[in-house]
Amino acid sequence: MIEIALATSCETLAQKISAALSSFQAVLSRYQSLSALPSALELKRFDLIVIHHPKEGCEDGTHISFERNLPSATPVIAITSDKHLECSVQLLNSGIDRCLPASFDKSHFCAVVRALTRRSHGLISSVSQYGALSFSHETKQTWIHDKQIALTKREAQVLDILLRRVGQIISKVDIIKVLDFNNTDINTSAVEVYIHRLRKKIKSEYLPIRNIKRCGYFLRRFDPPNESAAYSNALSCISRPLSAQMR
């Protein structure tokens, strides 16, 4: 699930962005102005911030100085008026990641969102590689050693969540929030079923999902077998007496 903060008082722009993100697993939180963002950012972590940047502010620098104070680790998209694209230079110099005109193409906007959010999650492309397993976050297709694995829509969504949060414990409630925004059709039992089906279709040697009692699920970071073996051998050498190593 992608958490996006949108700061704009323009209803038309808000509707356009909401429509563009309809195909995403995204939760859009809207704020009426830039000044409303700081307090919101203190209470909640967002994967992306989208701000509507008016013409005024480029002239006096007030908005520019504010944007420098946005979280450095969170990517930011600024939407500017088509007539005032010259603001883009100042915005980019102030730390904004991308500038788009208000007449942006929806597919291009979505591509920019994907690019920025996957990099903030440590992904270089829209395909995650977990050992022999490959997964496309865009098409939700899965392969193991170039052999495609047939997953249902829900199973693929759960795998998407696991791969986006490798090395983190993910609660069942968090998974439910992503799968069902309204939290009406899916419960913890359904999540357990999807995990069970994933385990049946993908062996644990390729996808070692662990149950963390009363916490949720955990997918460890992938360690290449050769590196792990080399590390184990190095440890065994260190633990042996020096005289034994010299024999």
Side-chain angles (χ1 to χ4, degrees), residues 153-155 157-158 161 172-195:
K153 178 182 177 182
R154 290 301 193 192
E155 291 164 1
Q157 287 177 322
V158 172
I161 298 167
K172 294 175 185 178
V173 173
D174 284 344
I175 293 175
I176 291 171
K177 287 179 181 178
V178 178
L179 298 180
D180 180 23
F181 295 156
N182 297 318
N183 299 334
T184 56
D185 298 330
I186 298 177
N187 53 32
T188 55
S189 296
V191 172
E192 292 170 2
V193 170
Y194 298 139
I195 293 289

Side-chain angles (χ1 to χ4, degrees), residues 224-244:
N226 291 338
E227 291 184 13
S228 297
Y231 180 68
S232 298
N233 290 336
L235 284 181
S236 65
C237 288
I238 293 171
S239 61
R240 287 183 316 195
L242 180 59
S243 58

Side-chain angles (χ1 to χ4, degrees), residues 147-162:
K147 179 182 178 182
Q148 189 164 352
I149 307 299
L151 300 180
T152 66
K153 178 182 177 182
R154 290 301 193 192
E155 291 164 1
Q157 287 177 322
V158 172
L159 181 55
D160 186 312
I161 298 167
L162 291 170

Side-chain angles (χ1 to χ4, degrees), residues 1-233:
M1 175 175 59
I2 301 173
E3 294 275 1
I4 300 177
L6 170 64
T8 180
S9 59
C10 178
E11 190 64 36
T12 302
L13 180 61
Q15 290 177 2
K16 183 177 180 180
I17 290 175
S18 179
L21 294 172
S22 60
S23 61
F24 272 74
Q25 293 180 7
V27 174
L28 187 65
S29 301
R30 182 185 169 190
Y31 304 93
Q32 290 293 324
S33 65
L34 283 170
S35 59
L37 266 182
S39 56
L41 294 173
E42 290 178 1
L43 300 174
K44 189 173 182 179
R45 179 189 176 280
F46 291 96
D47 299 293
L48 178 70
I49 298 172
V50 182
I51 62 172
H52 181 202
H53 199 283
K55 169 63 175 175
E56 53 276 11
C58 280
E59 295 172 344
D60 60 21
T62 55
H63 292 305
I64 298 294
S65 60
F66 170 76
E67 280 129 22
R68 285 201 187 95
N69 296 322
L70 292 175
S72 58
T74 306
V76 183
I77 297 175
I79 308 296
T80 62
S81 167
D82 291 21
K83 296 179 180 179
H84 304 127
L85 293 179
E86 69 276 7
C87 290
S88 298
V89 174
Q90 296 180 49
L91 289 168
L92 292 169
N93 286 337
S94 73
I96 298 299
D97 296 282
R98 296 290 176 89
C99 289
L100 297 175
S103 60
F104 63 80
D105 174 77
K106 291 181 181 179
S107 60
H108 180 252
F109 177 81
C110 289
V112 171
V113 171
R114 288 191 191 95
L116 292 177
T117 54
R118 71 178 176 238
R119 287 188 180 279
S120 68
H121 284 84
L123 301 174
I124 296 174
S125 71
S126 61
V127 176
S128 281
Q129 194 74 36
Y130 190 85
L133 184 148
S134 302
F135 179 80
S136 170
H137 294 277
E138 191 167 345
T139 65
K140 302 297 185 286
Q141 291 179 307
T142 309
W143 302 267
I144 294 179
H145 289 307
D146 297 327
K147 179 182 178 182
Q148 189 164 352
I149 307 299
L151 300 180
T152 66
K153 178 182 177 182
R154 290 301 193 192
E155 291 164 1
Q157 287 177 322
V158 172
L159 181 55
D160 186 312
I161 298 167
L162 291 170
L163 291 173
R164 286 183 184 276
R165 296 181 60 179
V166 169
Q168 302 176 38
I169 296 175
I170 313 167
S171 71
K172 294 175 185 178
V173 173
D174 284 344
I175 293 175
I176 291 171
K177 287 179 181 178
V178 178
L179 298 180
D180 180 23
F181 295 156
N182 297 318
N183 299 334
T184 56
D185 298 330
I186 298 177
N187 53 32
T188 55
S189 296
V191 172
E192 292 170 2
V193 170
Y194 298 139
I195 293 289
H196 175 71
R197 290 176 181 172
L198 268 180
R199 285 170 166 159
K200 285 189 68 176
K201 292 183 178 181
I202 305 176
K203 294 180 180 179
S204 60
E205 62 184 284
Y206 301 118
L207 192 71
I209 306 170
R210 287 182 55 195
N211 282 40
I212 307 298
K213 194 173 181 180
R214 291 191 292 273
C215 291
Y217 299 99
F218 176 80
L219 181 63
R220 64 173 175 77
R221 297 189 183 280
F222 181 77
D223 295 317
N226 291 338
E227 291 184 13
S228 297
Y231 180 68
S232 298
N233 290 336

